[in-house]
Structures are given as structure tokens and as C-alpha cells.
Amino acid sequence: MSITLRIVLIICSVLSFILCIVKVKQSKMQVTDSVIWMIGTIVLVLMSIFNKAVEWIAMKLGFIAPVNFVFLIIIAFLLIQGFLADIRISILNNKVKDLNHYIALEEYDKNRKKK
Amino acid sequence: MKVLIIIPAYNEALNIKKTVKDVTNNTKYDYIVINDCSKDNTKEVCEKNNFNYISLPVNYGLTSAINIGMKYAYNNGYDVAIQFDGDGQHDAKYLKNLVKTIENGQADVAIGSRFAEQRKPFSMRMIGSTLISMCIFLRTGKRLKDTTSGMRAYKREIIKEFLDNPTLTPEPDTMVYLLRKKYKIKEVQVEMREREFGESYLNPIKSIEYMCNMIFSIIFMR
């Protein structure tokens, strides 16, 4: 990995790490949701610092360039996060639907009693 | 047998009055209109005519509308629930044939089919319908001719099934799910009309999305 890429990775990771903390402090994000992103940024920083280790693993796995290995890890992480987010949206969707039904049925009963 | 007709309505102010009149004039069953947070004055029309209706505070689509109808049917001890389009395409005089089929124990689900005895015409829509039929045949070995018909009658066990499993939709893939659970499905010949007012829900992109959802769901998921 080039030194420029390593510096960029570290800076972006630190900024993201801070962003996670800020968002939790602003109550815009749950602690459980932000922790996984913080771990992700820590992994990126570690990979930038210990680039010899990354190069060694990448070589053993047969990557042409170590940077490809870093990108692969980032992509895999994002895919998993995207998939988990989709599952959560589905669950929430269902919960909102149930609430929607609950309100409608309550309203219906109230109207019934009035008549 | 206590029968409930579920009439989902989204922006059907122009059609809903006629649909409900059709139901009340031609059958003696109970009905409930589900107003899925329409943007037009569907709710006011229901209120003014003193229809039996539930009004959802948030628009959530057909599946949710049928689902709340099922909840209502289950909580109020109905034996049969029928989904019936609010856009005036369905003809209420055929409903008793559906109910009779269930009453005789010939089926757990009765589908109001346009092609049970008649041949399918040739159009884009029917190519889609045939494709879904083929998938259902491949998966279950049962031939359903009018899979996309929106007029279906369900027995109480299946109403329960709908409430227990929120991924079930009032669509053809659920028929596969039910067939695989050894429920009996029977098609009953009905006639349908063209819609008079308002827009159909399906546009080309939605149609493709619908077909993809159905084919994947039928082959891999149900």
C-alpha cells in the first residue's frame, strides 16, 4: 500500500470514528448501531498501520496488489451492513404496519360506540 | 356460515359507492371497506353513506389492507373472508358460488376465476398470468388458470395462517404456500368488468417488479 493511501485511510477512519461518537451524543444514533461502524474504522486504522501484515496476508491469498485486499474487506463489510439494514427495515416495516392496524381498529371501535 | 367481504379501497371515491351497493344488493353477507389512507375523499364517501369501514392512518398497500381485514374477520369470528376489489371490476353476484364451494368442503380457498371454464384471451397481462401459472404448476403440480384474480374466498384456518405469517400476501405465491401445506384450492368461474374510473395500480415498471417478485417467491421461497 502506498503511504498516501494509508494516510487517507487513517484520516477518514478517525473522522468517521468521531462522527459516530458525535451522533450518539446528539441522540441521533443508538449506541448498538454505532459500535459496529466504530469497530470497522478501527480495523481500517490497524490495516493502515500494520501494512506489512496486510501485504503478507494478501500475498498468501493470491491478491495481485495488497490494496485490492483492503478494498475487498471494505466491500464485504458494506455488503453485510447493507443486508442487515434491509432486514431491520423489513422488521420495522412490519411493526409500523401493526401499529397502523392497531390505530385503525381502535378508531373503528370508537366510531362504532359513538353510533 | 359467517362471511365477511373485505373491500380494500385506495383512491376509489368514484367506484366505492357502486361496489358496496353491488355487494349489499346481491348478497346478504357482511362487508368491510378498508380505506388505505386514500388521498381523495373515499373516507368521506364511506362516512356519508354510513358504510361499515376501517380507515388506516398511513397508506401501506394492498397486502396490509387485506391483512387488517383478516384481523377484523378473525376477531369477529367469521368463518370465511373474501377479498373483493373496490374498483368495481368484480361482480358480487358470483360471491355465493365461492362461499358455496367452501361450505361444501370442496375447497379451503375458492378463487373467482375468469378462465375456469373459458379460454384465456391473448394479451401482455395474460402472458404474465400464464407464466405464473406455469411456475405454480412446476412447483406444486397443480394447474391454476386465473392466478392473478383478486377475488378469493378464504376459510377460517387460512385467515389464521395470514395472521400468523406476515410475509403472506394476497397474491399467487400465497396459493403455492397453501398448496404445499395441503390446503385445497378450487377455481370458480366468474365474469369481471373493466374498471370505469381511476387508474390501475400496475404500470410497466411495477408489472416487471411484480412478476419478478412472484416468480422468485413461487420457485424459491414458498
Side-chain angles (χ1 to χ4, degrees), chain A residues 18-72:
Chain A
I18 295 167
L19 187 67
C20 285
I21 296 169
V22 170
K23 285 295 155 197
V24 172
K25 291 228 163 136
Q26 289 175 340
S27 316
K28 287 195 174 144
M29 201 178 188
Q30 300 277 325
V31 173
T32 45
D33 296 336
S34 67
V35 164
I36 184 71
W37 289 105
M38 289 165 94
I39 291 172
T41 60
I42 292 169
V43 169
L44 270 189
V45 171
L46 289 177
M47 291 207 304
S48 315
I49 294 170
F50 302 106
N51 75 315
K52 282 278 172 280
V54 173
E55 274 167 26
W56 184 78
I57 298 170
M59 213 180 63
K60 286 282 168 208
L61 291 174
F63 283 90
I64 295 172
V67 68
N68 289 350
F69 176 60
V70 176
F71 289 155
L72 181 76

Side-chain angles (χ1 to χ4, degrees), chain A residues 93-94 96 98 100-101 104 108, chain B residues 52-53 57-58 60 64 71-72:
Chain A
N93 208 9
N94 206 28
V96 175
D98 284 342
N100 191 16
H101 288 179
Y108 175 80
Chain B
N52 186 27
Y53 76 99
V58 180
Y60 235 81
S64 142
K71 270 178 201 167
Y72 179 88

Side-chain angles (χ1 to χ4, degrees), chain B residues 16-217:
Chain B
I16 193 68
K17 195 170 165 190
K18 225 171 65 195
T19 307
V20 174
K21 283 277 167 306
D22 184 25
V23 166
T24 48
N25 291 340
N26 287 307
T27 68
K28 50 192 185 318
Y29 308 133
D30 294 346
Y31 71 90
I32 186 133
V33 177
I34 315 288
N35 169 34
D36 193 8
C37 197
S38 298
K39 291 197 207 89
D40 64 3
N41 59 340
T42 305
K43 186 177 176 183
E44 283 72 28
V45 173
C46 291
E47 187 65 62
K48 211 173 69 199
N49 293 288
N50 210 7
F51 291 157
N52 186 27
Y53 76 99
I54 292 179
S55 197
L56 290 160
V58 180
N59 175 259
Y60 235 81
L62 178 69
T63 303
S64 142
I66 295 293
N67 205 270
I68 190 171
M70 296 282 187
K71 270 178 201 167
Y72 179 88
Y74 192 77
N75 294 342
N76 292 283
Y78 285 96
D79 302 303
V80 174
I82 304 178
Q83 63 175 103
F84 189 83
D85 283 2
D87 58 11
Q89 291 190 63
H90 292 169
D91 201 331
K93 65 174 185 260
Y94 296 103
L95 289 175
K96 49 181 181 296
N97 299 349
L98 297 190
V99 175
K100 222 180 279 163
T101 312
I102 291 187
E103 227 164 7
N104 298 341
Q106 285 176 294
D108 303 305
V109 180
I111 302 178
S113 165
R114 286 159 284 184
F115 320 118
E117 288 146 24
Q118 289 167 20
R119 273 188 69 81
K120 261 185 209 185
F122 190 78
S123 69
M124 268 322 270
R125 234 165 209 263
M126 289 311 125
I127 292 174
S129 167
T130 308
L131 201 57
I132 293 175
S133 294
M134 270 165 54
C135 292
I136 292 180
F137 178 72
L138 282 177
R139 190 72 203 275
T140 64
K142 171 132 177 115
R143 281 184 199 281
L144 290 180
K145 290 187 186 112
D146 194 359
T147 50
T148 50
S149 159
M151 192 204 263
R152 300 194 189 91
Y154 305 96
K155 217 177 168 179
R156 192 170 169 82
E157 286 98 311
I158 293 162
I159 298 174
K160 181 90 187 359
E161 203 69 67
F162 266 94
L163 298 188
D164 291 343
N165 187 345
T167 65
L168 292 185
T169 59
E171 302 289 358
D173 59 331
T174 299
M175 299 303 116
V176 173
Y177 175 85
L178 296 172
L179 281 171
R180 288 171 63 80
K181 284 204 141 191
K182 303 278 180 265
Y183 287 110
K184 282 181 287 178
I185 299 181
K186 193 163 190 275
E187 287 184 278
V188 178
Q189 179 67 41
V190 301
E191 303 285 330
M192 287 189 195
R193 299 182 280 251
E194 291 296 316
R195 83 197 265 99
E196 280 175 58
F197 303 104
E199 288 271 302
S200 168
Y201 159 81
L202 285 172
N203 58 37
I205 293 170
K206 283 243 174 78
S207 305
I208 292 169
E209 188 191 335
Y210 176 85
M211 286 303 295
C212 287
N213 286 348
M214 282 308 122
I215 290 172
F216 275 77
S217 176

